Amino acid sequence: MHQASFFNISLNNILTAEHSILDKARIRLLYFGLWLAFIADLALIFTSFAQASTVNTIISGFTAVLLLGLFKYLTWRPDWRRISHVLLTMVTLLNLSNVYVLVQSVSLVTIQLILITVLFSFYMLGQSFGLFYSLVNIIPVLAFMVLEYYSSYIINFKPEKVDQSLTIVSVLSNFILIIFIHSHFYGAFLKNIKQLKQTSEKQKQLNVQMEVAIQKAEKSSQAKSEFLSTMSHEIRTPLNAVIGMSNLLMMSNPRLDQKENLEILKFSANNLLAIVNDVLDFNKIESGKLIFENVRFNMGELMHNICGAQIIKAIEKGLNFSLNVDSSLKYRTIIGDPTRLTQVIFNLVSNAIKFTEKGNVWVNVNCIQDRHNVLAIHFSVKDTGIGIDKDNLSTIFEPFAQESMSTTRQYGGTGLGLSIVKRLLELQGVSMYVDTKPGVGSEFSFNMEFTVPTDVEVKKPAEQLIPVLEHPKQEQLSGNFSDVRVLIAEDNPVNVMLMKKLLSKWDITPKFAENGALAVEMVQYGNFDIILMDLQMPVMNGFEAATEIRNLADNRKSNLPIIALTASALVDIREQVFSSGMNDYVSKPFKPDELKEKMLGLLAMA
């Protein structure tokens, strides 16, 4: 509530922007109404004194003092509700004392005071108090009239004789107050309605502007996604060639010095790919279109697969790397999103290795609660690295931010890793906990719940689990492709050369189509066993070409396995691939073994 100086008498000092139009009208009514009532009361004092009416003079004098006190209180603390209650109580007592004691009759002044009470209480205090004060005034007066009708009302008090001049002054004063109250609030209501109309018109304009802004934001978001998709395709395409050619050269038994150069080339290309992937993953999360899967996976195998590649980096830096998976989880099948969990753990472990120059990196996975169909698991990644200053803990989770510029210069990176981790966990209702000390190390941990399948689980014997950490090597895929007829739809000449060289390692001589339309035509008039389909091509893109192939009259040709080769970053690329009829997809740059595995799987099912 606004407070003015105790000696304030100005109306402007008690009106604030926080007051509504009606509240300002109520305060103004009290401010001017108290003055009018005081002036009218002074007239009653002089009239009563001139007529030697002692009782009326005393009552009028007491009323004048009360009115002055309420005015002073209003200009100090504009508590219009409390003042209204005091005024209505005073008028009610005055009115009823006149009827039952002083005058002992219902006069025109009595009716006026009841009208003032009704108007004032409803306008100032609302319906509930308006009804209350109206009934408190009306019912006793009606009761008096009934008593007076059936038997003369007599008490041991001689009624005051009211002179006609005193009645005239009272009636005139009351009429002035009634007109003032009604006209004041009538003007306030009109002003309020006018303001509501103006507000409504402004709201309509704001709604129109908001719709335009939303449309612009949606177009901007779509443009951003399309831009990122295009840039992703443009960056991934040459990266596909760089990484692919590096793989081919490393498969050709290079000399030791050549192998070292190729490993550096491949490492740099993979780092660039990781940066691109971070930006694209962050865009997926921010767009709100990220969908979490619920598939079965083995926690022990997943953790070994995640850390299998990381242990090599740790060993190269001279770090001790330890993975500890709770024995109750090693052979346990659970339901969740292994892809997103991999992303979280991989980022945390990568950071731990990156920011640790010497010492240890520990990865712990412990079961903290095992209910009938729900497992609560605690994940922890701890290191003996540089640590984080407490004041910078909130900064490290912001996108494109690291603890300091010196950290960025020394260790590199986009600053998106922890931001992606935090958002992925938040989208699943999981909180990240950080325990860190500069120069000592950091521990990132979180608790996550997973559903346990209720059907019978077949546990793998211990000897079937390959201890990846102890023997980090890639499983070699086998398969004979010598008789497989492959059609590759690809318009980029570098990728064509890359695919030709790669498939020649598998004894495959593929056919090439430079656009989707030519691919459909070659399928119609040729014989193939599998199709590798690029998605962005001239004349007809990969989606349209796949749809056309699925609509061919020849069932054998319309059911050919199709694998999409995509460098696109669209959030819904997976859905688009499958909805167009393709069987699977591989993201560029792809790992040769990943493509080989998927080709073998589809050919075996054909």
Side-chain angles (χ1 to χ4, degrees), residues 405-457:
M405 287 301 295
S406 60
T407 303
T408 305
R409 286 193 299 268
Q410 184 175 353
Y411 296 98
T414 60
L416 281 176
L418 286 178
S419 177
I420 291 172
V421 167
K422 184 172 183 286
R423 279 160 170 76
L424 284 175
L425 292 177
E426 286 177 345
L427 288 173
Q428 299 175 84
V430 176
S431 298
M432 169 72 73
Y433 302 97
V434 184
D435 184 15
T436 182
K437 187 175 181 180
V440 176
S442 305
E443 181 179 9
F444 292 81
S445 61
F446 60 93
N447 299 329
M448 187 178 288
E449 290 189 348
F450 297 89
T451 306
V452 179
T454 55
D455 53 350
V456 178
E457 178 184 342

Side-chain angles (χ1 to χ4, degrees), residues 98-118:
N98 276 337
V99 172
Y100 279 92
V101 180
L102 298 177
V103 182
Q104 296 180 21
S105 67
V106 177
S107 63
L108 178 59
V109 174
T110 304
I111 303 302
Q112 285 182 316
L113 288 176
I114 291 175
L115 284 175
I116 290 173
T117 303
V118 172

Side-chain angles (χ1 to χ4, degrees), residues 387-400:
I388 306 164
D389 194 293
K390 297 286 185 183
D391 296 334
N392 295 328
L393 279 178
S394 58
T395 305
I396 63 172
F397 290 106
E398 293 300 318
F400 305 104

Side-chain angles (χ1 to χ4, degrees), residues 211-362:
E211 287 179 4
V212 173
I214 289 173
Q215 291 176 358
K216 286 183 178 178
E218 288 175 349
K219 289 180 180 178
S220 175
S221 178
Q222 184 179 358
K224 183 182 75 171
S225 296
E226 290 175 355
F227 170 77
L228 285 172
S229 175
T230 303
M231 290 305 298
S232 165
H233 184 271
E234 295 303 314
I235 294 173
R236 283 171 180 262
T237 298
L239 271 179
N240 182 50
V242 173
I243 295 176
M245 287 297 181
S246 300
N247 287 327
L248 285 174
L249 290 171
M250 292 181 72
M251 292 164 63
S252 303
N253 297 319
R255 298 192 311 268
L256 182 61
D257 60 325
Q258 292 176 330
K259 186 177 180 180
E260 290 177 355
N261 293 337
L262 289 171
E263 285 175 349
I264 293 172
L265 178 63
K266 186 177 178 181
F267 176 79
S268 300
N270 283 328
N271 275 352
L272 179 57
L273 179 61
I275 293 172
V276 174
N277 287 338
D278 277 350
V279 174
L280 298 176
D281 284 335
F282 184 76
N283 180 58
K284 288 179 185 178
I285 295 169
E286 292 297 292
S287 68
K289 296 180 180 179
L290 191 68
I291 299 174
F292 291 93
E293 294 181 324
N294 281 304
V295 298
R296 296 184 180 216
F297 65 96
N298 180 280
M299 179 59 73
E301 289 181 353
L302 181 70
M303 292 305 302
H304 278 79
N305 289 335
I306 295 171
C307 298
Q310 299 286 37
I311 190 175
I312 300 173
K313 293 182 182 179
I315 292 172
E316 288 174 351
K317 288 190 70 173
L319 303 177
N320 298 317
F321 191 100
S322 172
L323 171 63
N324 177 35
V325 180
D326 199 320
S327 58
S328 63
L329 297 174
K330 284 185 178 179
Y331 315 118
R332 195 78 174 268
T333 299
I334 57 178
I335 297 175
D337 191 332
T339 303
R340 299 305 167 190
L341 180 59
T342 298
Q343 202 168 1
V344 170
I345 300 296
F346 184 86
N347 271 303
L348 293 177
V349 175
S350 294
N351 274 356
I353 295 172
K354 180 195 293 186
F355 297 110
T356 303
E357 294 300 326
K358 60 180 180 178
N360 303 279
V361 174
W362 299 275

Side-chain angles (χ1 to χ4, degrees), residues 407-533:
T407 303
T408 305
R409 286 193 299 268
Q410 184 175 353
Y411 296 98
T414 60
L416 281 176
L418 286 178
S419 177
I420 291 172
V421 167
K422 184 172 183 286
R423 279 160 170 76
L424 284 175
L425 292 177
E426 286 177 345
L427 288 173
Q428 299 175 84
V430 176
S431 298
M432 169 72 73
Y433 302 97
V434 184
D435 184 15
T436 182
K437 187 175 181 180
V440 176
S442 305
E443 181 179 9
F444 292 81
S445 61
F446 60 93
N447 299 329
M448 187 178 288
E449 290 189 348
F450 297 89
T451 306
V452 179
T454 55
D455 53 350
V456 178
E457 178 184 342
V458 179
K459 293 185 178 181
K460 294 184 179 181
E463 59 270 20
Q464 288 186 11
L465 274 177
I466 300 174
V468 180
L469 288 180
E470 297 178 9
H471 306 285
K473 60 182 181 179
Q474 193 174 20
E475 182 182 355
Q476 297 298 318
L477 294 168
S478 60
N480 184 10
F481 283 111
S482 57
D483 297 328
V484 176
R485 295 164 295 184
V486 179
L487 172 63
I488 300 177
E490 173 65 70
D491 65 312
N492 187 285
V494 176
N495 286 338
V496 168
M497 181 175 64
L498 172 65
M499 294 301 294
K500 188 181 294 184
K501 289 179 177 293
L502 174 62
L503 268 62
S504 68
K505 299 286 184 182
W506 302 338
D507 297 324
I508 297 175
T509 304
K511 299 288 185 180
F512 288 92
E514 61 188 22
N515 58 63
L518 184 57
V520 175
E521 184 180 342
M522 292 176 70
V523 170
Q524 282 180 313
Y525 299 107
N527 293 307
F528 298 97
D529 299 306
I530 193 168
I531 303 170
L532 304 181
M533 183 79 73

